[in-house]
Structures are given as C-alpha cells and as structure tokens.
C-alpha cells in the first residue's frame, strides 16, 4: 500500500480517508473564516475610536487597542432619536409588510391550488386596452386622473359583465400563477418612479403605509410561489370533511390549512422578512426623513465632511443584523426545506 | 372571472338565519373571489400599472420649467440616445474599431449562433418556439458583438456590459462555490449543523452593510490586510481607481452574500438524494467524484437549474453594492444598469431613467425566459 493510497482511500463507506479529511476540513474552515471575518471586523470596528481606525489595522480588543463605547453612546444616547426612529420604522415596516404579503399571498396561493379559475382572454385584453385608454386620456388630453380612472374602471366592469360570456378563449390557473410569479423578474427600478409619482399624487410619500404597500407587492410572488407548492402537498380530505361539517372556506383556510403548513409559512415568513428588512432601493425613493428605514440610515453614514464614520456605521450594521441572525438561527431548518420545495417543483 | 370549485361544494347543513349568518354564507359563496382578488388588485396597482406608466415615461421627455415640469412625447428618442446617440458610451460602451481578438470573438459568436439556428431548424420547428428563439439568438449575437467591439478590443464597456459581467461571471462563480461547499457538507463530517448555520449568515446581512464592510476590509491603508498590501509594495494602490479591481471587489462582496443561498438550497437537495444509491456505488468501489457525477448530480440538476435561474433574476437587480462601494466609479466602470437609471433619476432625467430601466427589463426577460425554456424546463421534464 503506497502512502497516497493510505491517505486518500477510505477504510469504510461511512468514513473518510485522513488525506481527504484534511482537505475537506481545511476548505470548510477556510470558508468559515472567510464568512466570519467581515462580521468580526465590523464588530470590533464598532468599539474603535477614530484614531484606532486611522492608525492602521488593529485586530484584538484589549490587546491591540482599548475598546471604547463612544460610537454606541453617540448613536444611542446623544443621537438616539434618529437611530431609534429608523429602527422602529424598519421594525414596523418589515413586520407589517411581511404579515400582509404572507397573508395575501397565501390566500392567493390557496385559491390557485384549490379553485379553478377561467378568466376570459378577451376580458383581460379589454382590461389592458382600457388601461391604455386611461393613460392616453390623462397624458394626452389632460383629463384629471381620478375622473378618468373611475370612468375607465366603470366602463370596464360594465363591458366585462355585458360581453364577458361571449368570449371563448380562456386562461387557466397555471397562467395566473405564472403571471403572478413572473412579477419577480421585474426589477424594482422599472416600477419605482411611477410608484413614487403615484404616492406623491395621493400625498403618501414618506409614510409607513406607502413603503409597506410597496414591499407587500414586491414580495407577493415569492410567497405565492412557495406557498402554492405547500398547499398542493396538503391532502384535500381533511378540508372536505370539515366542509361537510359546515365549516366555511375561510374557516377551513384559517383553522386547518394554515396550521398544517407551518413549515412552509415559517420559511416564507423568514425569507420575506429578511428581504423587507434589508431592502434599499425602494426605501431610497419612498422615504426622505419620517419613514426612513435602517438601510437608508446606514447608507447615510457616508455623508458629511468627516468622510465615512466607520465606527458609527459598524454600530448600525451590528444592531441591524442581530435580530435577523437570531431569528434565522431559530428558523434555519425550515428555510432550506421551504426553499427546496419551491425549487424542485419550479 | 368565472369559476367553479374543483370538487362539488358541500351543501350547508345549517340553514342560514339572521344577518351574521347571511354574511358568513355570502363570504363562503364568494370565497374563490375573495381569496384571489386582493393579490390580483395589488399586483395590478403596484406592478402592472407602474409598468405601463414607466413605458410611457420612457417615450417622453421631462423638462423642469420654473417649478413645474413639462412632458413631451418623443417616441423612441430616449432609447435612440442610449443605443446610438450621446449616451452610447455610457450604456453600450466606446467603439473605436475592432481589434484582432475582437474579430475572432465576433466570428466565433456568429458561428455558434448560426450552428444553433441550423441545428434547431433541422430537428424541430414550431412558430412560437422559433419566434422565442429569435429573441434569444438576437440577444446572444448582439451581446457577443458588443463584447467583441468593446471588451475584447480593449475599449471600456458601458453599464450593459458591467451588469452582464456581474450576472454571468458572478453567478457562475457563486454557483460553483455554492455547490462545492454543499457537496463538502453532505459528506460524512462532524459539525455539519455548525457549518450550515455559519455559511448561511451572510445572506441575512443587509447589502448596504456588506458593501461598507468590504469597502473597509479592502482599504489598502487602514484595512486589516494593509500590512500585506504594503509588503507586496501595493500600499499606494487603490483598487477603487482601477476598473477591473473595482469590479472584482464588488463581485467578491456580492458572492460573499449570495453563495449561502445556493449553498443552503443545494445542501438540502443533496441530502434528499436517497442514500441507498450512493452506498451501493460505494460498495462497488466508485470514487466520490464518480458518485457525484453519475448519481448525485443527475438527481439534483433540476434544483440546480432553478436555483441558478432565481439567482440570475436577482443578480440583474444589483444596485446596493456598486452604489456603496464605488458609487459606480472609477468613471462608469462598476455602474450597473439599475444604478445608471438611479443616477439618471437623480439628475431629474425621468425619460432616460425609464428608458434604461426598460432596456434592463428587456435584457432580463429575454435572458430569464430563454434560460427557463431552454434549460430549466428541459431538466425538470427529463
């Protein structure tokens, strides 16, 4: 037996050869360091003074430098209003948007998994034409947007009622599902300017509501996509027997289906919450001061004549990631399962 | 929308009495509508309506005139300016004649597309398939020639090239490393749950934070590696002023954040491969690499294709990292298309901003739909 063989050939199928072991653990620990080092660096920077940062790298607290709480004090004692307001804003917005999009998205996903829809192709076409007509009326002829929207919707509903049954070709659940999920391809930059102008018209700019609504819609496709597969995997018999006992659809959904899909809900909620908590571009457009969220606050640390305030910024990053990391470590098992299910069935 | 439940609904045993019961009954009868309309209305209002509005904005020109603004309809002038006009250097890149390498690449790309067309026409033909592929071929040919005329001929390329670099190069690297790590973690090792949790962490950190953290770390005078930089004699080197170094640093930051996503899903997929197959092959004396290639990989390839697609979709939206780490600089070297549109919006040029956003949408949709139809669907079906 040569040395190479002894090093790289496993003795039994459940173990690894020593040589392989060294390589595998080597790579894994290298990656652990690569992942953790930036976080460690941000963490210690939050305890550094300006001179510690500028003098060149110092690595170990108490050995290389004396940790100081000045950045933490600055943000949470002197400037606490700004920090806490942004933190509260972020919490309110992320939680509300997550709740709203998980609820609305699950309802739609459940509907698509259990009911059969046959929207007529002609009606959809009519809706698109009506929307274009409204745009032309507002843009070309200067009609007030409220009037033209109301007239457009009214005419559409009337025509759809009157002519709807004469159309033959119809779409299916799969088409609706694809339409909803494909909204995720839409880059936020494409829609954000019209959304900005829209909220400006109804004077909702820089409010929680505006950001919550936008985040809800942005995350709907993910919720629908992941939850649809979960609802499909729940047996129908339970719901049927509950209905025979006189439960309504809403009760069935609320009391039977949702509790049964806890795993999926946990994964989806966590994912949506992370996305809403960290979102930057939409918040940048829709908030200026009152509804400012944490990512905007972090990004704003760059402004000012003193250059980047590395220490303050690190504090803000740390307080921002702590809740998500705790939440994710608790729910981590679910997220891989939930994502996997979505990915397998596509 | 008309609908009927998949299975005949049960008749209610209790006869309805009073207002409340009547309302509950009404809700139940219309439940199929009530469940779906909130989502449909929200998507229509906040997604479809802005999409159409944005297209109309892309066809108009905005001018600020003493406090109010003027809108003028200009058809495709905004797009023309980006592709042929004064903004061409910004969006597509600078053309100064093709170098030898440029010509070689251009001819290669053309050859591949021609071969692809011929092969497709020989094997099968449907009208929809052909029209869809026309878009794909057009995009491949266009991007290929663009790269040949800019990048491979030594001229700077614009935001389109930069975005595609982030998307394809970045996602490719993330995909390979993510799958590699997932494979290592699926081996019989100790502390798997530790690695799983640790490797997952970067995904949760706000991209803004990632941007700043990497900017700090990559600093050649104050960062943790500055002694190493100085030792190599690169103390005065600033990566932020070198186009390729800046692009690579942004890509590293992006990879740091997104490898966990691929890792987590692929690990779950690898773990769901039945152990029997693997163990049977091990007993037969197959090497780990053979097992991975012949047994594990075919089982997880549908998941892998889908994960790659999701990652590509998200990668096209990249904006936070370039904005934070370099503000798109040096020059326009690291500017992604979203950032390009954002800067145009900041200078109140709403028409140009929407035009760039629409071009991004076009590229994204063609890429993702092509990938979905040509790769993902085929993998799932087979």
């Amino acid at each position: 037996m040569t040395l190479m063989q002894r090093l790289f050939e496993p003795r039994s199928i459940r173990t690894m050869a020593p040589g392989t072991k060294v390589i595998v653990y080597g790579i894994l620990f290298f990656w652990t360091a690569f992942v953790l080092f930036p976080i460690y660096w941000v963490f210690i920077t939050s305890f550094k003074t300006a001179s510690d940062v500028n003098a060149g790298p110092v690595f170990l607290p108490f050995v290389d430098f004396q940790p100081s709480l000045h950045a933490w004090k600055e943000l949470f004692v002197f400037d606490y209003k700004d920090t806490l307001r942004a933190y509260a804003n972020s919490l309110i917005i992320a939680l509300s948007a997550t709740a709203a999009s998980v609820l609305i998205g699950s309802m739609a996903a459940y509907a698509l998994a259990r009911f059969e829809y046959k929207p007529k192709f002609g009606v959809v076409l009519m809706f698109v034409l009506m929307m274009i007509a409204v745009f032309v009326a507002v843009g070309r002829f200067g009609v007030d947007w409220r009037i033209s929207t109301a007239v457009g919707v009214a005419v559409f509903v009337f025509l759809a009622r009157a002519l709807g049954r004469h159309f033959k070709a119809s779409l299916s659940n799969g088409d609706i599902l694809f339409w909803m999920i494909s909204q995720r391809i839409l880059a936020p930059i494409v829609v954000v300017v019209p959304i900005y102008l829209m909220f400006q018209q109804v004077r909702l700019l820089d409010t929680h509501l505006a950001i919550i609504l936008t985040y809800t819609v942005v995350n709907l496709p993910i919720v629908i996509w992941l939850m649809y597969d979960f609802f499909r995997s729940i047996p129908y018999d339970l719901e049927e027997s509950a209905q025979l006992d006189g439960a309504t659809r809403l009760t069935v959904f609320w009391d039977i289906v949702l509790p049964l899909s806890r795993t999926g809900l946990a994964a989806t909620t966590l994912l949506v919450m992370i996305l809403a908590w960290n979102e930057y571009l939409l918040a940048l457009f829709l908030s200026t001061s009152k509804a400012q969220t944490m990512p905007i606050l972090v990004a704003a640390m760059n402004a000012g004549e003193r250059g980047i305030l590395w220490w303050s910024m690190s504090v803000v990053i740390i307080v921002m990631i702590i809740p998500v990391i705790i939440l994710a470590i608790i729910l981590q098992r679910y997220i891989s399962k939930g994502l996997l299910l979505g990915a397998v069935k596509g | 929308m008309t609908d009927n439940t998949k299975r005949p609904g049960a008749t209610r045993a209790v006869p309805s009495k009073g207002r409340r019961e009547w309302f509950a009954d009404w809700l139940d009868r219309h439940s199929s509508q009530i469940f779906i309309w909130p989502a449909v209305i929200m998507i229509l209002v906040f997604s479809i309506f802005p999409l159409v509005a944005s297209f109309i904005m892309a066809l108009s020109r905005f001018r600020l005139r003493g406090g109010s603004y003027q809108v003028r309809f200009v058809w495709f002038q905004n797009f023309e300016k980006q592709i042929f006009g004064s903004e061409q250097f910004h969006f597509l890149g600078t053309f100064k004649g093709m170098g030898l390498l440029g010509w070689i690449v251009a001819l290669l790309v053309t050859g591949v597309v021609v071969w692809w067309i011929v092969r497709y026409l020989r094997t099968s033909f449907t009208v929809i398939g052909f029209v869809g592929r026309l878009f794909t071929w057009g995009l491949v040919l266009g991007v290929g020639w663009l790269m040949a005329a800019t990048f491979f001929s030594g001229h700077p390329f614009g935001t389109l090239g930069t975005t595609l670099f982030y998307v394809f190069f970045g996602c490719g690297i993330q995909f390979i490393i993510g799958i590699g790590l997932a494979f290592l973690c699926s081996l019989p090792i100790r502390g798997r749950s530790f690695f799983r949790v640790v490797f997952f962490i970067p995904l949760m950190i706000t991209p803004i934070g990632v941007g700043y953290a990497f900017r700090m770390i990559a600093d050649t005078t104050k960062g943790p590696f500055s002694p190493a930089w100085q030792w190599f004699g690169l103390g005065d080197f600033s990566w932020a002023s070198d186009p390729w170094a800046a692009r690579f640093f942004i890509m590293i930051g992006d990879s740091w954040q997104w490898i966990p996503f691929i890792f987590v899903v692929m690990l779950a997929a690898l773990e769901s491969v039945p152990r029997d197959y693997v163990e049977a092959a091990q007993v037969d004396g197959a090497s780990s690499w053979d097992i991975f290639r012949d047994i594990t990989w075919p089982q997880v390839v549908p998941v892998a294709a889908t994960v790659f697609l999701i990652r590509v979709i998200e990668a096209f939206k990249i904006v936070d990292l370039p904005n934070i780490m370099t503000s798109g600089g040096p020059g326009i070297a690291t500017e992604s298309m979203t950032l390009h549109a954002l800067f145009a919006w900041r200078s109140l040029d709403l028409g140009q901003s929407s035009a760039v956003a629409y071009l991004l949408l076009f590229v994204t949709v063609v890429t993702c739909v092509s990938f979905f139809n040509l790769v993902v669907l085929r993998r799932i079906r087979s």
Side-chain angles (χ1 to χ4, degrees), chain B residues 33 41 46 71-72 114 121 138 143 145 184 193 198 218 229 286 313 316 327 333 344 353 356:
Chain B
Q33 308 288 319
I41 288 174
F46 290 99
V71 187
R72 204 159 58 83
V114 167
L121 291 180
V143 168
W145 274 79
L184 290 184
S193 45
V198 168
W229 288 111
I313 290 175
F316 269 113
S327 314
S353 172
V356 174

Side-chain angles (χ1 to χ4, degrees), chain A residues 261-321:
Chain A
S261 42
R262 267 193 308 263
T263 329
L265 280 176
T268 314
T269 308
L270 179 64
L271 194 68
V272 172
M273 190 121 59
I274 291 173
L275 289 172
W277 179 255
N278 292 337
E279 212 287 331
Y280 169 67
L281 185 72
L282 293 166
L284 186 68
F285 275 79
L286 298 176
S287 72
T288 45
S289 61
K290 274 196 315 237
Q292 197 187 43
T293 56
M294 286 300 274
I296 307 294
L297 187 77
V298 180
M301 291 286 163
N302 193 3
E305 289 154 12
R306 289 189 288 167
I308 302 175
L309 308 170
W310 293 115
W311 38 94
S312 312
M313 204 190 59
S314 304
V315 174
V316 186
I317 295 175
I318 292 291
V319 293
M320 234 193 116
I321 61 183

Side-chain angles (χ1 to χ4, degrees), chain A residues 9-322:
Chain A
E9 268 179 21
R11 239 175 268 151
S12 78
I13 56 171
R14 297 250 178 213
T15 55
M16 283 188 292
T20 327
K21 231 179 205 170
V22 168
I23 296 173
V24 168
Y25 282 110
I27 296 173
L28 289 178
F29 279 112
F30 169 76
W31 197 261
T32 310
F34 181 68
V35 163
L36 291 182
F37 185 74
I39 300 170
Y40 171 73
W41 190 255
V42 169
F43 185 71
I44 59 167
T45 305
S46 73
F47 295 105
K48 283 178 183 174
T49 59
S51 60
D52 289 329
V53 172
N54 289 329
V58 279
F59 294 90
L60 300 168
F62 298 109
V63 180
D64 276 347
F65 68 98
Q66 203 53 41
S68 100
L69 283 171
H70 79 106
W72 291 79
K73 271 190 197 144
E74 199 177 316
L75 281 167
F76 286 98
V77 181
F78 304 123
D79 251 352
Y80 70 99
K81 272 188 192 153
D82 278 351
T83 320
L84 290 185
R85 190 179 57 196
Y87 211 71
N89 283 341
S90 260
L91 271 180
I92 295 171
I93 289 169
L95 290 177
S96 322
T98 309
S101 66
V102 169
L103 182 70
I104 296 175
S106 314
M107 277 166 59
Y110 177 74
L112 288 172
R114 288 288 186 261
F115 303 116
E116 199 177 329
Y117 294 92
K118 284 178 187 156
K120 298 281 197 235
F121 187 69
V123 175
V124 176
L125 196 72
M126 232 156 65
F127 181 82
V128 173
L129 290 178
M130 197 55 69
M131 192 155 63
I132 292 171
V134 169
F135 271 112
V136 170
V138 175
R140 282 300 279 211
F141 303 108
V143 186
D144 187 79
W145 65 269
R146 297 178 203 90
I147 298 171
S148 53
T149 312
V151 170
V153 170
V155 170
F156 167 71
V157 170
F158 178 73
L159 282 180
R161 285 267 162 185
L163 302 173
R165 74 191 65 161
H166 297 297
F167 294 113
K168 285 269 158 52
S170 64
L171 304 171
S172 69
N173 278 22
D175 296 319
I176 303 177
L177 189 70
F178 180 77
W179 173 67
M180 284 178 167
I181 292 174
S182 67
Q183 297 304 313
R184 190 69 204 168
I185 298 182
L186 208 61
I189 190 74
V190 185
V191 290
V192 70
V193 175
I195 289 179
Y196 174 88
L197 296 174
M198 208 157 76
F199 281 125
Q200 197 187 37
Q201 279 291 322
V202 292
R203 291 169 203 283
L204 277 177
L205 270 187
D206 202 18
T207 60
H208 290 155
L209 185 66
I211 305 182
I212 291 171
L213 283 173
T214 318
Y215 282 8
T216 306
V217 179
V218 167
N219 290 320
L220 267 182
I222 302 180
V223 179
I224 293 173
W225 176 52
L226 292 175
M227 292 315 293
Y228 177 77
D229 287 329
F230 253 94
F231 293 145
R232 288 288 293 257
S233 67
I234 294 176
Y236 193 78
D237 311 349
L238 264 175
E239 294 166 45
E240 218 168 28
S241 54
Q243 276 187 320
L244 282 175
D245 289 344
T248 63
R249 277 277 179 188
L250 290 171
T251 338
V252 168
F253 176 67
W254 193 257
D255 290 338
I256 297 175
V257 177
L258 284 188
L260 274 178
S261 42
R262 267 193 308 263
T263 329
L265 280 176
T268 314
T269 308
L270 179 64
L271 194 68
V272 172
M273 190 121 59
I274 291 173
L275 289 172
W277 179 255
N278 292 337
E279 212 287 331
Y280 169 67
L281 185 72
L282 293 166
L284 186 68
F285 275 79
L286 298 176
S287 72
T288 45
S289 61
K290 274 196 315 237
Q292 197 187 43
T293 56
M294 286 300 274
I296 307 294
L297 187 77
V298 180
M301 291 286 163
N302 193 3
E305 289 154 12
R306 289 189 288 167
I308 302 175
L309 308 170
W310 293 115
W311 38 94
S312 312
M313 204 190 59
S314 304
V315 174
V316 186
I317 295 175
I318 292 291
V319 293
M320 234 193 116
I321 61 183
I322 283 174

